[in-house]
Amino acid sequence: MKLVKNIGLVLFLVGLTIFTSLVFTGDFKMTDEIMRSNLSESELLNLETRLTSEVVEKNYSTSLSFGNDVIRIYNETNQQFRDAQQWDKVMYTAPKEFASKLARASSAGWIPQHKSLLFFLTFGLGILGSLMFVLAELKLGGPAGIKNNGVYHSAATNRGWIGISAFVFLVSFYILLYYFPFALTNVIGVVDPVKHLFNPADFASQWFLYGFMYCTVMIVMGARMIIKYRHNNYQIVRTIVVVFFQVIFAFLLVEILPLFDLPARDLKNAWPLDYSFLFEWNVTELLDSGHFGKFLFVWGIVLSLVIIPVMVYFYGKRWYCSWVCGCGGLAETLGDPYRQLSNKKLWAWKLERWMIHGVLVFAIIMTIFTGYLTYNVIQNPTMESKEYLFGFSAYDVRELYGFLIGSIFAGVIGTGFYPIFGNRTWCRFGCPLAAYMGLVQRFKSRFRITTNGGQCISCGNCSTYCEQGIDVRAYAQKGQNIVRSSCVGCGVCAAVCPRGVLKLENGPEANRFGNEGPIVLGNNGFELNQ
Amino acid sequence: MYVYMGHMRWSDIKPYEDWFWIKNRIDLVEDWVTSIDYQKKSINTKSGKSFSFDKLILALGSKPNKFGWPGQELKAVQGLYSKQDLESLEEISASTKQAVIVGGGLIGVELAEMLLSRGIKVTFLVREKKFWSNVLPMQEADLISRHIRKHHVDLRFETELAEIIDDGNGRAGAVITKSGEKIPCQLVGLTAGVSPNIDLVKESELETKNGILINTFFETNIADVYSIGDCAQFREPVAGRRALEQVWYTGRIMGETLAQTICGTRKQYNPGPWFNSAKFFDIEYQTYGNVNPTLSENEIEFYWEQAGGEKCIHFVWDKNTGIFKGINTFGIRMRHELFDQWLRKNALIDEVMMNLKAANFDPEFYTHHEQEIIEAFNRASGKNIQLKPKTWWRNLLNA
Ligand SMILES: Cc1cc2nc3c(=O)[nH]c(=O)nc-3n(C[C@H](O)[C@H](O)[C@H](O)COP(=O)(O)OP(=O)(O)OC[C@H]3O[C@@H](n4cnc5c(N)ncnc54)[C@H](O)[C@@H]3O)c2cc1C
Ligand code: SF4
Ligand code: SF4
């Protein structure tokens, strides 16, 4: 079994190495023909001369260098138009998307001809290897039970060199994904065979790659989670459900809906986490897409304003954060090995409250701006400068939000920093939906974590493994229940507690907070709660 | 334990962050007390400092028992109690492949789990017929013994240590049991119980016996000097309790009670119904009330064990009155507050059995065994108790 595990590790590393090296290799050459068939008429008019003299027929060995040249030319050309105030000539495609399109078309040589083989050598080996690694634990890990031996001794999980490497890898990946997608051209091509399963005529985008990776990672790490907590049905059910929602709703449905000419939307993604819900392109597309589109629009509103608070009232925010949400799902699967790294200090809690509620306020303000814009687009099509409210442009506000919160915070920091700050950095410090649900959970909900009388021995396992950095012990050792806005109900505190002290449950709001006196149950010298 | 096994760092097991003490105006001093002057009301420490006091609370804890075994002072022979023990264990582990643990109680099983987590082979010598069968009824002792063996511990019953043999370098190299068997090892864990750590005060005017003698107000024979926790011994224990109570929960209750006295409301030690808990590898144990290793004359029992042999429940009640006396539960969590109430108001076994669903504290989605338990109970007792539907448990508290 040890051998199986080690072979698995080797296979995984081989797959990962090939995957990574794809970014640094390749053959990119744009022929004149490729240029002509991929540029629009106006683009051709604007860029033909410079592209032909500087890029066409030139050999590039990475898509990054190719893309950088293209972007430079694109931006410089645009700048000339701006300087000359030729506003009608300025091009509005995002430069990185423009470069991605050309890079994909210009990819030549061995790699694009062997996509299926490469798919097997990267994803195939990676999945096979990691599954072997994970499944071997069934035998190696001994009888079912808490498996935290060596967590703080391992360089992978104690911010050692493996953790730091994982951190560098993840952050680099997110930076390329968000800001230099053309650098990933080869890698994106590798999942083309998968994309063809949905639509033989279409090619994968960076978001398809991301979605596909997200799903495979969640399935493999979900299997790991289930094996690790196989004595705990709460964890098993929860993990299956959250993986299900990711694969079916966030991935498959989004791929399948467009095949029926329906808008591709993730039905479980709720505002304000889905911050583009009220963007004018979203709303107009939905309203123009027949009954289903209108349904999606209404569904989005009902989900955020009715279903979410009502469900949080009955079950706590865990129903979303740990059972449905994609961000939460990744945190609970890929992120599980890092949950102990969240900061438990009081100052971190204070910072958390400022940050997460700050983001919520920002999200609301941003939504007001875009909502105003969208309203004008639909109701006052003739109005000029529809986007200006209080002197600010809705485009600017939402671009800022998308950059700071949508990509830097949620992606680069939220996931890239798993091995450093723990697995729920985004959920704890940044997610506006979590903030919103947290307010409901804290002030009007039937959910609490009940502390079992006086049984706590102050050992600290619960606090250590709380991914949200809640000092669970501080409550438990006083016999108090845990009622905290940030608790995502992952149930791990209850799982790791060696004395069976904690139970996540829903019940009447009365007595929700448990023991309020200084004396813990078991001491007759005092009357409880008096 | 958890630091050694890598579950937590040292900083994680501190019950409060360091600022807590300062904020609450508590001076936390790390030092050894070397002597106490009761007349001058001051204590002196190893680093040469001295502190005066108005009131003194002695909570010195315990130290591991050593019964004069030959070789017990060798290197790599140690108990498991203090931070120093933890540090020395850490140091010795690196050069240890096999270990022998002497004494089958809670600390012994904890040490076994720790050593196994580092890939050290463990031979576990237990004097009793089964693991901890001096405290647990035989059924439970047997269940836990099987579980310990499942974790590949070489568990030996009715085996006692005779001597520890030098490996030639002043370090333990093997142990010899009373039956003459020689077991090679590089580490010997002595976990045959603890006794009050009272060396500091033994030769003083403070009255001691096994521990520091106190009344039920924790007062020693010297005014303004109190003692609580593992090191304290009641001259007259409160009803149904022992003179020495060396568990965590009683230590905390004593602390809570004495704090009232120190703050001006003199309070007597008056613990509620007994409860305790532990974890043996993967099996959690909780107990409420009293379940003794052997039934007393007027007691009657019901024992249920899950088919897999990893969960069990043991109920004891009074034969004549039907009053519920206690429960041991392994692998099933139970609500403290409900059992506390039932024990206090002398609830009948029938009431307890009826409300098993409300009493269950397992996480959601766990397999429930109440129906199976109640059916077995009815068969065994000839009763016909029906489970009440799962009511929100707090409704029962004041019912
Ligand atoms: C490995 C292990 C496992 C256990 N498991 C359980 C369990 O599962 N359930 C349970 O209920 N109980 C358990 N116990 C018992 C429980 O830990 C003790 O009953 C409890 O800690 C006693 O508290 P105390 O305050 O009396 O003493 P301690 O916690 O021992 O504190 C005594 C303190 O006094 C200090 N001290 C002693 N002498 C001096 C001096 N001269 N100068 C300065 N400081 C001094 C010591 O350094 C120590 O910090 C376990 C004990 C051990 C060792
Ligand atoms: S308090 Fe417990 S359930 Fe809530 S987030 Fe922390 S570990 Fe998860
Ligand atoms: S894990 Fe359990 S016993 Fe340990 S501090 Fe938390 S609630 Fe208390």
Side-chain angles (χ1 to χ4, degrees):
Chain A
M1 265 305 143
K2 193 103 205 155
L3 186 70
V4 173
K5 187 171 171 173
N6 287 334
I7 295 176
L9 182 62
V10 171
L11 290 182
F12 172 78
L13 289 176
V14 170
L16 187 70
T17 310
I18 298 176
F19 180 89
T20 313
S21 59
L22 282 178
V23 176
F24 302 103
T25 50
D27 236 332
F28 294 88
K29 187 159 120 183
M30 182 159 71
T31 59
D32 188 58
E33 192 196 330
I34 292 177
M35 178 178 73
R36 287 181 195 288
S37 58
N38 280 285
L39 296 193
S40 69
E41 231 168 275
S42 58
E43 284 168 346
L44 202 59
L45 200 67
N46 292 340
L47 298 164
E48 184 182 351
T49 338
R50 283 200 66 187
L51 281 180
T52 309
S53 69
E54 293 172 46
V55 178
V56 170
E57 293 298 333
K58 190 169 158 194
N59 286 311
Y60 290 89
S61 61
T62 66
S63 53
L64 183 65
S65 50
F66 173 85
N68 279 338
D69 272 0
V70 171
I71 286 186
R72 186 172 42 78
I73 293 169
Y74 183 91
N75 281 343
E76 284 171 5
T77 311
N78 253 351
Q79 195 55 47
Q80 282 167 6
F81 294 141
R82 288 203 177 93
D83 292 345
Q85 305 219 342
Q86 296 172 310
W87 299 114
D88 52 328
K89 288 198 173 170
V90 174
M91 299 166 287
Y92 286 102
T93 311
K96 61 183 183 189
E97 302 299 341
F98 181 75
S100 293
K101 181 173 68 174
L102 289 186
R104 183 182 316 122
S106 311
S107 176
W110 194 83
I111 292 174
Q113 282 157 22
H114 295 86
K115 285 179 179 167
S116 299
L117 175 68
L118 282 170
F119 179 77
F120 173 76
L121 288 178
T122 54
F123 280 90
L125 289 187
I127 293 171
L128 183 72
S130 48
L131 275 180
M132 282 167 73
F133 187 83
V134 162
L135 291 174
E137 272 308 304
L138 259 179
K139 270 259 174 319
L140 290 177
I146 290 303
K147 302 277 172 249
N148 286 333
N149 286 350
V151 163
Y152 268 107
H153 299 153
S154 160
T157 48
N158 70 358
R159 304 192 183 111
W161 69 270
I162 303 179
I164 305 273
S165 315
F167 156 72
V168 171
F169 180 87
L170 286 171
V171 167
S172 318
F173 175 76
Y174 273 96
I175 290 177
L176 294 187
L177 179 75
Y178 283 125
Y179 310 113
F180 307 94
F182 47 88
L184 297 172
T185 304
N186 281 335
V187 187
I188 295 169
V190 160
V191 290
D192 272 343
V194 184
K195 181 75 187 181
H196 292 332
L197 295 178
F198 296 99
N199 186 352
D202 204 358
F203 290 93
S205 67
Q206 76 265 36
W207 301 119
F208 183 85
L209 169 75
Y210 185 50
F212 182 73
M213 282 176 71
Y214 211 101
C215 289
T216 46
V217 166
M218 267 182 67
I219 291 171
V220 172
M221 292 302 277
R224 174 191 166 280
M225 182 81 185
I226 290 173
I227 289 170
K228 180 173 171 191
Y229 291 99
R230 61 188 180 277
H231 64 296
N232 187 316
N233 283 353
Y234 183 78
Q235 299 303 335
I236 295 175
V237 178
R238 187 173 71 79
T239 305
I240 292 173
V241 170
V242 81
V243 173
F244 168 87
F245 271 102
Q246 172 61 29
V247 175
I248 304 295
F249 282 83
F251 184 71
L252 286 181
L253 263 186
V254 172
E255 291 303 322
I256 290 170
L257 287 174
L259 304 183
F260 298 92
D261 279 333
L262 296 171
R265 291 292 184 280
D266 177 359
L267 275 121
K268 64 178 175 50
N269 200 2
W271 178 89
L273 176 59
D274 173 14
Y275 60 90
S276 58
F277 181 70
L278 276 192
F279 284 12
E280 80 291 354
W281 53 260
N282 187 50
V283 176
T284 47
E285 186 186 334
L286 290 182
L287 295 183
D288 290 345
S289 304
H291 291 306
F292 188 71
K294 293 200 180 71
F295 162 75
L296 283 183
F297 183 65
V298 176
W299 165 255
I301 295 171
V302 172
L303 179 63
S304 294
L305 297 184
V306 181
I307 298 179
I308 283 189
V310 169
M311 289 287 280
V312 175
Y313 171 72
F314 283 106
Y315 303 108
K317 75 192 216 189
R318 57 183 173 150
W319 82 270
Y320 196 87
C321 297
S322 299
W323 288 74
V324 171
C325 179
C327 307
L330 192 70
E332 295 293 341
T333 50
L334 175 65
D336 176 67
Y338 306 114
R339 58 175 67 246
Q340 68 283 355
L341 300 175
S342 61
N343 192 319
K344 314 301 180 321
K345 301 227 164 73
L346 189 65
W347 65 258
W349 182 18
K350 289 183 179 160
L351 178 71
E352 163 198 321
R353 285 181 295 180
W354 280 108
M355 287 189 73
I356 193 165
H357 296 119
V359 173
L360 176 61
V361 171
F362 188 10
I364 291 173
I365 292 175
M366 184 274 298
T367 304
I368 291 173
F369 273 90
T370 45
Y372 175 76
L373 166 65
T374 306
Y375 178 82
N376 287 336
V377 168
I378 293 171
Q379 294 296 328
N380 309 317
T382 54
M383 181 175 167
E384 272 183 39
S385 323
K386 302 181 191 62
E387 72 272 28
Y388 280 99
L389 184 62
F390 309 123
F392 291 99
S393 157
Y395 291 115
D396 291 346
V397 176
R398 80 187 196 191
E399 195 169 321
L400 186 69
Y401 185 92
F403 176 73
L404 286 181
I405 310 296
S407 56
I408 298 255
F409 207 156
V412 180
I413 298 179
T415 309
F417 278 65
Y418 275 9
I420 306 293
F421 292 154
N423 54 334
R424 285 261 192 190
T425 311
W426 161 248
C427 313
R428 179 183 179 192
F429 293 98
C431 176
L433 179 57
Y436 164 36
M437 292 193 291
L439 291 171
V440 181
Q441 168 159 296
R442 171 64 183 72
F443 293 108
K444 191 75 192 159
S445 169
R446 292 163 56 89
F447 173 70
R448 87 291 315 273
I449 302 178
T450 304
T451 288
N452 200 8
Q455 285 282 22
C456 173
I457 57 167
S458 303
C459 70
N461 275 292
C462 51
S463 298
T464 303
Y465 287 92
C466 175
E467 53 193 357
Q468 288 289 69
I470 298 172
D471 190 357
V472 181
R473 168 178 54 193
Y475 302 85
Q477 67 190 355
K478 294 191 217 117
Q480 297 168 349
N481 294 347
I482 295 94
V483 178
R484 276 279 290 269
S485 55
S486 63
C487 172
V488 290
C490 64
V492 168
C493 54
V496 296
C497 173
R499 293 298 187 272
V501 176
L502 305 165
K503 179 170 164 64
L504 284 66
E505 53 186 359
N506 317 308
E509 287 173 77
N511 277 322
R512 207 175 152 223
F513 291 84
N515 177 34
E516 281 166 28
I519 301 301
V520 182
L521 186 73
N523 192 348
N524 253 350
F526 313 88
E527 287 305 309
L528 277 165
N529 291 336
Q530 281 189 2
Chain B
M1 156 180 210
Y2 294 112
V3 173
Y4 180 89
M5 299 203 299
H7 294 210
M8 288 188 258
R9 295 161 300 180
W10 178 256
S11 58
D12 299 323
I13 67 171
K14 294 184 187 172
Y16 302 101
E17 282 183 62
D18 293 341
W19 54 257
F20 172 90
W21 310 102
I22 302 159
K23 184 180 170 208
N24 289 288
R25 291 189 289 124
I26 298 170
D27 294 328
L28 191 66
V29 180
E30 280 182 41
D31 209 339
W32 280 94
V33 177
T34 46
S35 65
I36 305 171
D37 188 330
Y38 301 104
Q39 263 76 47
K40 287 197 193 140
K41 289 196 158 186
S42 73
I43 58 173
N44 302 306
T45 70
K46 203 170 166 182
S47 68
K49 288 194 203 109
S50 112
F51 300 87
S52 63
F53 62 84
D54 296 325
K55 306 205 186 232
L56 177 67
I57 302 168
L58 294 167
L60 299 167
S62 301
K63 57 181 186 197
N65 282 337
K66 292 184 176 181
F67 293 113
W69 292 293
Q72 69 181 21
E73 302 302 333
L74 287 171
K75 257 190 75 186
V77 179
Q78 69 162 95
L80 177 64
Y81 194 91
S82 61
K83 187 184 181 197
Q84 290 73 18
D85 291 339
L86 185 69
E87 284 161 359
S88 100
L89 190 68
E90 186 69 50
E91 193 186 313
I92 297 168
S93 298
S95 54
T96 301
K97 288 212 149 49
Q98 285 167 293
V100 171
I101 298 173
V102 182
L106 295 176
I107 301 181
V109 71
E110 192 169 314
L111 181 58
E113 190 177 347
M114 290 164 69
L115 295 173
L116 285 182
S117 79
R118 297 279 180 99
I120 296 171
K121 280 181 122 177
V122 175
T123 307
F124 194 3
L125 310 186
V126 174
R127 189 181 55 186
E128 290 74 26
K129 274 204 169 68
K130 287 276 144 104
F131 171 77
W132 219 30
S133 59
N134 53 332
V135 175
L136 296 176
M138 207 42 92
Q139 298 101 318
E140 287 101 305
D142 187 47
L143 180 138
I144 292 300
S145 299
R146 276 183 274 133
H147 184 68
I148 293 174
R149 285 192 164 151
K150 196 172 157 189
H151 279 270
H152 308 295
V153 175
D154 179 6
L155 179 59
R156 315 272 186 99
F157 303 121
E158 299 181 295
T159 308
E160 288 182 63
L161 174 68
E163 68 171 295
I164 305 166
I165 299 180
D166 196 326
D167 71 345
N169 299 314
R171 175 177 174 162
V175 301
I176 297 192
T177 66
K178 281 201 176 156
S179 60
E181 190 187 347
K182 183 174 170 182
I183 307 171
C185 62
Q186 300 84 45
L187 166 67
V188 181
L190 299 181
T191 59
V194 295
S195 44
N197 172 30
I198 53 171
D199 296 344
L200 173 67
V201 293
K202 227 172 186 169
E203 308 300 328
S204 69
E205 57 260 58
L206 195 72
E207 270 186 57
T208 61
K209 203 168 155 195
N210 296 326
I212 299 168
L213 288 170
I214 53 168
N215 63 16
T216 49
F217 291 92
F218 314 106
E219 293 159 350
T220 65
N221 63 313
I222 300 175
D224 294 330
V225 178
Y226 304 85
S227 180
I228 54 172
D230 276 26
C231 67
Q233 180 176 15
F234 290 102
R235 292 171 197 271
E236 282 167 36
V238 296
R241 297 293 193 122
R242 297 170 190 221
L244 279 167
E245 290 193 318
Q246 293 166 309
V247 294
W248 155 260
Y249 301 106
T250 52
R252 182 179 70 202
I253 295 170
M254 290 183 203
E256 284 176 344
T257 312
L258 180 59
Q260 299 283 320
T261 303
I262 301 292
C263 296
T265 329
R266 190 162 174 259
K267 286 277 183 188
Q268 195 168 15
Y269 183 49
N270 182 15
W274 175 261
F275 67 100
N276 202 357
S277 70
K279 190 174 185 186
F280 308 96
F281 285 90
D282 305 315
I283 300 185
E284 286 170 23
Y285 153 67
Q286 294 181 339
T287 184
Y288 302 105
N290 294 310
V291 180
N292 297 315
T294 43
L295 288 179
S296 60
E297 211 174 287
N298 54 348
E299 282 176 348
I300 184 166
E301 66 176 353
F302 168 68
Y303 176 81
W304 170 88
E305 190 173 302
Q306 182 216 17
E310 303 256 283
K311 295 180 181 181
C312 72
I313 292 198
H314 204 148
F315 299 87
V316 173
W317 65 96
D318 190 287
K319 203 190 277 181
N320 306 312
T321 60
I323 291 175
F324 170 68
K325 291 282 172 200
I327 180 174
N328 274 351
T329 158
F330 288 77
I332 298 178
R333 298 173 173 179
M334 291 286 177
R335 276 185 211 276
H336 186 181
E337 267 176 86
L338 278 180
F339 279 97
D340 186 77
Q341 172 183 276
W342 284 330
L343 288 161
R344 275 205 246 189
K345 68 170 198 189
N346 287 330
L348 302 182
I349 180 72
D350 296 3
E351 181 179 352
V352 174
M353 298 303 297
M354 231 180 276
N355 291 300
L356 274 187
K357 282 190 174 174
N360 183 294
F361 197 72
D362 276 338
E364 294 151 305
F365 300 106
Y366 266 46
T367 315
H368 283 263
H369 303 284
E370 287 87 21
Q371 191 56 36
E372 202 185 313
I373 295 170
I374 203 83
E375 282 166 14
F377 175 78
N378 284 340
R379 270 197 305 278
S381 62
K383 297 190 183 200
N384 185 21
I385 309 257
Q386 300 298 323
L387 276 181
K388 286 210 184 148
K390 189 185 158 198
T391 39
W392 178 245
W393 61 281
R394 276 197 182 270
N395 297 343
L396 289 178
L397 271 186
N398 303 314

